[in-house]
PDB file of all heavy atoms in Angstrom:
ATOM      1  N   THR W  46      96.172 -49.175 166.318  1.00  0.00           N
ATOM      2  CA  THR W  46      96.859 -50.452 166.475  1.00  0.00           C
ATOM      3  C   THR W  46      96.059 -51.482 167.107  1.00  0.00           C
ATOM      4  O   THR W  46      95.099 -51.206 167.819  1.00  0.00           O
ATOM      5  CB  THR W  46      98.206 -50.255 167.285  1.00  0.00           C
ATOM      6  OG1 THR W  46      98.932 -51.481 167.281  1.00  0.00           O
ATOM      7  CG2 THR W  46      97.927 -49.772 168.698  1.00  0.00           C
ATOM      8  N   THR W  47      96.327 -52.760 166.744  1.00  0.00           N
ATOM      9  CA  THR W  47      95.557 -53.838 167.392  1.00  0.00           C
ATOM     10  C   THR W  47      96.270 -54.429 168.604  1.00  0.00           C
ATOM     11  O   THR W  47      95.858 -55.588 168.940  1.00  0.00           O
ATOM     12  CB  THR W  47      95.349 -55.056 166.296  1.00  0.00           C
ATOM     13  OG1 THR W  47      96.671 -55.438 165.995  1.00  0.00           O
ATOM     14  CG2 THR W  47      94.687 -54.577 165.125  1.00  0.00           C
ATOM     15  N   SER W  48      97.171 -53.773 169.152  1.00  0.00           N
ATOM     16  CA  SER W  48      97.959 -54.391 170.212  1.00  0.00           C
ATOM     17  C   SER W  48      97.228 -55.132 171.287  1.00  0.00           C
ATOM     18  O   SER W  48      97.635 -56.258 171.782  1.00  0.00           O
ATOM     19  CB  SER W  48      98.762 -53.281 170.809  1.00  0.00           C
ATOM     20  OG  SER W  48      97.942 -52.322 171.467  1.00  0.00           O
ATOM     21  N   ASP W  49      96.049 -54.630 171.751  1.00  0.00           N
ATOM     22  CA  ASP W  49      95.301 -55.292 172.813  1.00  0.00           C
ATOM     23  C   ASP W  49      94.137 -56.103 172.293  1.00  0.00           C
ATOM     24  O   ASP W  49      93.408 -56.790 173.163  1.00  0.00           O
ATOM     25  CB  ASP W  49      94.901 -54.433 173.928  1.00  0.00           C
ATOM     26  CG  ASP W  49      96.239 -53.751 174.601  1.00  0.00           C
ATOM     27  OD1 ASP W  49      97.181 -54.408 174.723  1.00  0.00           O
ATOM     28  OD2 ASP W  49      96.028 -52.631 175.069  1.00  0.00           O
ATOM     29  N   SER W  50      93.757 -55.900 171.038  1.00  0.00           N
ATOM     30  CA  SER W  50      92.401 -56.553 170.629  1.00  0.00           C
ATOM     31  C   SER W  50      92.647 -57.889 169.981  1.00  0.00           C
ATOM     32  O   SER W  50      91.564 -58.543 169.746  1.00  0.00           O
ATOM     33  CB  SER W  50      91.734 -55.594 169.627  1.00  0.00           C
ATOM     34  OG  SER W  50      92.629 -55.378 168.486  1.00  0.00           O
ATOM     35  N   ILE W  51      93.827 -58.402 169.946  1.00  0.00           N
ATOM     36  CA  ILE W  51      93.944 -59.767 169.328  1.00  0.00           C
ATOM     37  C   ILE W  51      94.811 -60.535 170.316  1.00  0.00           C
ATOM     38  O   ILE W  51      95.818 -60.112 170.868  1.00  0.00           O
ATOM     39  CB  ILE W  51      94.467 -59.807 167.957  1.00  0.00           C
ATOM     40  CG1 ILE W  51      95.804 -59.120 167.786  1.00  0.00           C
ATOM     41  CG2 ILE W  51      93.411 -59.260 166.957  1.00  0.00           C
ATOM     42  CD1 ILE W  51      96.449 -59.160 166.487  1.00  0.00           C
ATOM     43  N   PRO W  52      94.472 -61.793 170.634  1.00  0.00           N
ATOM     44  CA  PRO W  52      95.237 -62.651 171.604  1.00  0.00           C
ATOM     45  C   PRO W  52      96.370 -63.488 170.708  1.00  0.00           C
ATOM     46  O   PRO W  52      96.505 -64.649 171.033  1.00  0.00           O
ATOM     47  CB  PRO W  52      94.245 -63.610 172.147  1.00  0.00           C
ATOM     48  CG  PRO W  52      93.330 -63.733 171.018  1.00  0.00           C
ATOM     49  CD  PRO W  52      93.209 -62.543 170.181  1.00  0.00           C
ATOM     50  N   PHE W  53      97.121 -62.806 169.992  1.00  0.00           N
ATOM     51  CA  PHE W  53      98.131 -63.401 169.138  1.00  0.00           C
ATOM     52  C   PHE W  53      99.413 -62.642 169.386  1.00  0.00           C
ATOM     53  O   PHE W  53      99.482 -61.484 169.749  1.00  0.00           O
ATOM     54  CB  PHE W  53      97.789 -63.501 167.655  1.00  0.00           C
ATOM     55  CG  PHE W  53      96.530 -64.308 167.510  1.00  0.00           C
ATOM     56  CD1 PHE W  53      95.286 -63.732 167.287  1.00  0.00           C
ATOM     57  CD2 PHE W  53      96.615 -65.645 167.288  1.00  0.00           C
ATOM     58  CE1 PHE W  53      94.197 -64.519 167.059  1.00  0.00           C
ATOM     59  CE2 PHE W  53      95.438 -66.462 167.079  1.00  0.00           C
ATOM     60  CZ  PHE W  53      94.238 -65.767 166.975  1.00  0.00           C
ATOM     61  N   PRO W  54     100.621 -63.266 169.114  1.00  0.00           N
ATOM     62  CA  PRO W  54     101.834 -62.580 169.337  1.00  0.00           C
ATOM     63  C   PRO W  54     102.359 -61.575 168.284  1.00  0.00           C
ATOM     64  O   PRO W  54     103.493 -61.594 167.820  1.00  0.00           O
ATOM     65  CB  PRO W  54     102.860 -63.772 169.354  1.00  0.00           C
ATOM     66  CG  PRO W  54     102.219 -64.843 168.645  1.00  0.00           C
ATOM     67  CD  PRO W  54     100.800 -64.699 168.726  1.00  0.00           C
ATOM     68  N   PHE W  55     101.378 -60.821 167.724  1.00  0.00           N
ATOM     69  CA  PHE W  55     101.730 -59.796 166.741  1.00  0.00           C
ATOM     70  C   PHE W  55     100.632 -58.676 166.796  1.00  0.00           C
ATOM     71  O   PHE W  55      99.610 -58.864 167.448  1.00  0.00           O
ATOM     72  CB  PHE W  55     101.857 -60.434 165.387  1.00  0.00           C
ATOM     73  CG  PHE W  55     100.594 -61.134 164.897  1.00  0.00           C
ATOM     74  CD1 PHE W  55      99.489 -60.563 164.414  1.00  0.00           C
ATOM     75  CD2 PHE W  55     100.516 -62.572 165.098  1.00  0.00           C
ATOM     76  CE1 PHE W  55      98.279 -61.185 163.997  1.00  0.00           C
ATOM     77  CE2 PHE W  55      99.378 -63.223 164.789  1.00  0.00           C
ATOM     78  CZ  PHE W  55      98.213 -62.552 164.181  1.00  0.00           C
ATOM     79  N   GLN W  56     101.031 -57.564 166.145  1.00  0.00           N
ATOM     80  CA  GLN W  56     100.141 -56.502 166.075  1.00  0.00           C
ATOM     81  C   GLN W  56     100.319 -55.751 164.811  1.00  0.00           C
ATOM     82  O   GLN W  56     101.298 -56.041 164.090  1.00  0.00           O
ATOM     83  CB  GLN W  56     100.372 -55.469 167.163  1.00  0.00           C
ATOM     84  CG  GLN W  56     101.733 -54.655 167.107  1.00  0.00           C
ATOM     85  CD  GLN W  56     102.019 -53.853 168.321  1.00  0.00           C
ATOM     86  OE1 GLN W  56     101.706 -54.219 169.489  1.00  0.00           O
ATOM     87  NE2 GLN W  56     102.608 -52.626 168.084  1.00  0.00           N
ATOM     88  N   PHE W  57      99.335 -54.995 164.389  1.00  0.00           N
ATOM     89  CA  PHE W  57      99.400 -54.192 163.204  1.00  0.00           C
ATOM     90  C   PHE W  57      98.376 -53.007 163.281  1.00  0.00           C
ATOM     91  O   PHE W  57      97.632 -53.048 164.239  1.00  0.00           O
ATOM     92  CB  PHE W  57      99.037 -55.066 161.980  1.00  0.00           C
ATOM     93  CG  PHE W  57      97.835 -55.919 162.048  1.00  0.00           C
ATOM     94  CD1 PHE W  57      96.590 -55.425 161.686  1.00  0.00           C
ATOM     95  CD2 PHE W  57      97.975 -57.211 162.522  1.00  0.00           C
ATOM     96  CE1 PHE W  57      95.522 -56.219 161.882  1.00  0.00           C
ATOM     97  CE2 PHE W  57      96.881 -58.077 162.536  1.00  0.00           C
ATOM     98  CZ  PHE W  57      95.541 -57.586 162.267  1.00  0.00           C
ATOM     99  N   GLU W  58      98.309 -52.071 162.300  1.00  0.00           N
ATOM    100  CA  GLU W  58      97.363 -51.058 162.311  1.00  0.00           C
ATOM    101  C   GLU W  58      96.291 -51.269 161.354  1.00  0.00           C
ATOM    102  O   GLU W  58      96.468 -51.856 160.250  1.00  0.00           O
ATOM    103  CB  GLU W  58      98.109 -49.750 161.935  1.00  0.00           C
ATOM    104  CG  GLU W  58      99.087 -49.251 162.938  1.00  0.00           C
ATOM    105  CD  GLU W  58      99.741 -47.923 162.646  1.00  0.00           C
ATOM    106  OE1 GLU W  58      99.304 -47.306 161.569  1.00  0.00           O
ATOM    107  OE2 GLU W  58     100.506 -47.475 163.429  1.00  0.00           O
ATOM    108  N   LEU W  59      95.113 -50.989 161.878  1.00  0.00           N
ATOM    109  CA  LEU W  59      93.862 -51.097 161.092  1.00  0.00           C
ATOM    110  C   LEU W  59      93.131 -49.758 160.944  1.00  0.00           C
ATOM    111  O   LEU W  59      93.252 -48.937 161.809  1.00  0.00           O
ATOM    112  CB  LEU W  59      92.842 -51.998 161.841  1.00  0.00           C
ATOM    113  CG  LEU W  59      93.021 -53.588 161.690  1.00  0.00           C
ATOM    114  CD1 LEU W  59      91.945 -54.207 162.552  1.00  0.00           C
ATOM    115  CD2 LEU W  59      92.825 -53.941 160.219  1.00  0.00           C
ATOM    116  N   PRO W  60      92.323 -49.601 159.931  1.00  0.00           N
ATOM    117  CA  PRO W  60      91.634 -48.353 159.725  1.00  0.00           C
ATOM    118  C   PRO W  60      90.452 -48.331 160.790  1.00  0.00           C
ATOM    119  O   PRO W  60      90.051 -49.416 161.212  1.00  0.00           O
ATOM    120  CB  PRO W  60      91.142 -48.353 158.317  1.00  0.00           C
ATOM    121  CG  PRO W  60      91.112 -49.821 157.943  1.00  0.00           C
ATOM    122  CD  PRO W  60      92.252 -50.403 158.655  1.00  0.00           C
ATOM    123  N   GLN W  61      90.023 -47.198 161.028  1.00  0.00           N
ATOM    124  CA  GLN W  61      88.855 -46.932 162.023  1.00  0.00           C
ATOM    125  C   GLN W  61      87.583 -47.675 161.579  1.00  0.00           C
ATOM    126  O   GLN W  61      86.741 -47.999 162.398  1.00  0.00           O
ATOM    127  CB  GLN W  61      88.578 -45.500 162.262  1.00  0.00           C
ATOM    128  CG  GLN W  61      89.693 -44.680 162.810  1.00  0.00           C
ATOM    129  CD  GLN W  61      89.959 -45.099 164.262  1.00  0.00           C
ATOM    130  OE1 GLN W  61      89.098 -45.747 164.924  1.00  0.00           O
ATOM    131  NE2 GLN W  61      91.164 -44.813 164.748  1.00  0.00           N
ATOM    132  N   TYR W  62      87.419 -47.830 160.274  1.00  0.00           N
ATOM    133  CA  TYR W  62      86.147 -48.556 159.782  1.00  0.00           C
ATOM    134  C   TYR W  62      86.283 -50.092 159.628  1.00  0.00           C
ATOM    135  O   TYR W  62      85.326 -50.686 159.200  1.00  0.00           O
ATOM    136  CB  TYR W  62      85.819 -47.954 158.418  1.00  0.00           C
ATOM    137  CG  TYR W  62      86.974 -47.868 157.458  1.00  0.00           C
ATOM    138  CD1 TYR W  62      87.392 -48.818 156.721  1.00  0.00           C
ATOM    139  CD2 TYR W  62      87.620 -46.630 157.312  1.00  0.00           C
ATOM    140  CE1 TYR W  62      88.460 -48.695 155.808  1.00  0.00           C
ATOM    141  CE2 TYR W  62      88.692 -46.456 156.559  1.00  0.00           C
ATOM    142  CZ  TYR W  62      89.139 -47.453 155.808  1.00  0.00           C
ATOM    143  OH  TYR W  62      90.160 -47.336 154.855  1.00  0.00           O
ATOM    144  N   ALA W  63      87.343 -50.638 160.155  1.00  0.00           N
ATOM    145  CA  ALA W  63      87.586 -52.035 160.250  1.00  0.00           C
ATOM    146  C   ALA W  63      87.519 -52.484 161.741  1.00  0.00           C
ATOM    147  O   ALA W  63      87.882 -51.794 162.588  1.00  0.00           O
ATOM    148  CB  ALA W  63      88.800 -52.475 159.583  1.00  0.00           C
ATOM    149  N   ALA W  64      87.097 -53.746 161.877  1.00  0.00           N
ATOM    150  CA  ALA W  64      86.950 -54.306 163.297  1.00  0.00           C
ATOM    151  C   ALA W  64      87.512 -55.696 163.395  1.00  0.00           C
ATOM    152  O   ALA W  64      87.284 -56.499 162.464  1.00  0.00           O
ATOM    153  CB  ALA W  64      85.530 -54.231 163.764  1.00  0.00           C
ATOM    154  N   VAL W  65      88.211 -56.015 164.428  1.00  0.00           N
ATOM    155  CA  VAL W  65      88.756 -57.359 164.709  1.00  0.00           C
ATOM    156  C   VAL W  65      87.490 -58.175 165.209  1.00  0.00           C
ATOM    157  O   VAL W  65      86.788 -57.733 166.113  1.00  0.00           O
ATOM    158  CB  VAL W  65      89.849 -57.436 165.741  1.00  0.00           C
ATOM    159  CG1 VAL W  65      90.187 -58.820 166.122  1.00  0.00           C
ATOM    160  CG2 VAL W  65      91.071 -56.651 165.159  1.00  0.00           C
ATOM    161  N   ASN W  66      87.302 -59.351 164.663  1.00  0.00           N
ATOM    162  CA  ASN W  66      86.249 -60.334 164.914  1.00  0.00           C
ATOM    163  C   ASN W  66      86.887 -61.531 165.442  1.00  0.00           C
ATOM    164  O   ASN W  66      87.444 -62.368 164.648  1.00  0.00           O
ATOM    165  CB  ASN W  66      85.371 -60.541 163.669  1.00  0.00           C
ATOM    166  CG  ASN W  66      84.212 -61.451 163.935  1.00  0.00           C
ATOM    167  OD1 ASN W  66      84.206 -62.222 164.885  1.00  0.00           O
ATOM    168  ND2 ASN W  66      83.212 -61.420 162.993  1.00  0.00           N
ATOM    169  N   LEU W  67      86.629 -61.859 166.733  1.00  0.00           N
ATOM    170  CA  LEU W  67      87.267 -63.083 167.394  1.00  0.00           C
ATOM    171  C   LEU W  67      86.324 -64.267 167.366  1.00  0.00           C
ATOM    172  O   LEU W  67      86.535 -65.180 168.101  1.00  0.00           O
ATOM    173  CB  LEU W  67      87.762 -62.706 168.635  1.00  0.00           C
ATOM    174  CG  LEU W  67      88.929 -61.638 168.705  1.00  0.00           C
ATOM    175  CD1 LEU W  67      89.310 -61.342 170.106  1.00  0.00           C
ATOM    176  CD2 LEU W  67      90.065 -62.182 167.926  1.00  0.00           C
ATOM    177  N   GLN W  68      85.158 -64.163 166.721  1.00  0.00           N
ATOM    178  CA  GLN W  68      84.271 -65.266 166.825  1.00  0.00           C
ATOM    179  C   GLN W  68      84.802 -66.650 166.329  1.00  0.00           C
ATOM    180  O   GLN W  68      84.639 -67.639 166.962  1.00  0.00           O
ATOM    181  CB  GLN W  68      82.975 -64.956 165.905  1.00  0.00           C
ATOM    182  CG  GLN W  68      81.918 -66.039 165.908  1.00  0.00           C
ATOM    183  CD  GLN W  68      80.750 -65.629 165.136  1.00  0.00           C
ATOM    184  OE1 GLN W  68      80.676 -64.504 164.507  1.00  0.00           O
ATOM    185  NE2 GLN W  68      79.831 -66.535 165.041  1.00  0.00           N
ATOM    186  N   ARG W  69      85.684 -66.602 165.272  1.00  0.00           N
ATOM    187  CA  ARG W  69      86.357 -67.817 164.836  1.00  0.00           C
ATOM    188  C   ARG W  69      87.309 -68.275 165.888  1.00  0.00           C
ATOM    189  O   ARG W  69      87.585 -69.421 165.940  1.00  0.00           O
ATOM    190  CB  ARG W  69      87.048 -67.551 163.434  1.00  0.00           C
ATOM    191  CG  ARG W  69      86.090 -67.343 162.309  1.00  0.00           C
ATOM    192  CD  ARG W  69      86.834 -67.118 161.025  1.00  0.00           C
ATOM    193  NE  ARG W  69      87.662 -68.263 160.549  1.00  0.00           N
ATOM    194  CZ  ARG W  69      88.653 -68.142 159.853  1.00  0.00           C
ATOM    195  NH1 ARG W  69      89.185 -66.984 159.366  1.00  0.00           N
ATOM    196  NH2 ARG W  69      89.395 -69.316 159.481  1.00  0.00           N
ATOM    197  N   THR W  70      87.968 -67.339 166.570  1.00  0.00           N
ATOM    198  CA  THR W  70      88.952 -67.755 167.628  1.00  0.00           C
ATOM    199  C   THR W  70      88.226 -68.587 168.697  1.00  0.00           C
ATOM    200  O   THR W  70      88.928 -69.424 169.229  1.00  0.00           O
ATOM    201  CB  THR W  70      89.585 -66.469 168.212  1.00  0.00           C
ATOM    202  OG1 THR W  70      90.036 -65.567 167.179  1.00  0.00           O
ATOM    203  CG2 THR W  70      90.703 -66.750 169.084  1.00  0.00           C
ATOM    204  N   ALA W  71      87.023 -68.226 169.064  1.00  0.00           N
ATOM    205  CA  ALA W  71      86.321 -68.983 170.085  1.00  0.00           C
ATOM    206  C   ALA W  71      86.026 -70.467 169.557  1.00  0.00           C
ATOM    207  O   ALA W  71      86.101 -71.394 170.441  1.00  0.00           O
ATOM    208  CB  ALA W  71      84.967 -68.317 170.434  1.00  0.00           C
TER     209      ALA W  71
END
Side-chain angles (χ1 to χ4, degrees):
T46 185
T47 61
S48 58
D49 297 329
S50 60
I51 57 173
F53 297 98
F55 53 85
Q56 67 184 41
F57 49 84
E58 289 184 4
L59 277 180
Q61 295 293 340
Y62 44 84
V65 173
N66 178 343
L67 298 176
Q68 183 177 357
R69 288 178 69 207
T70 309

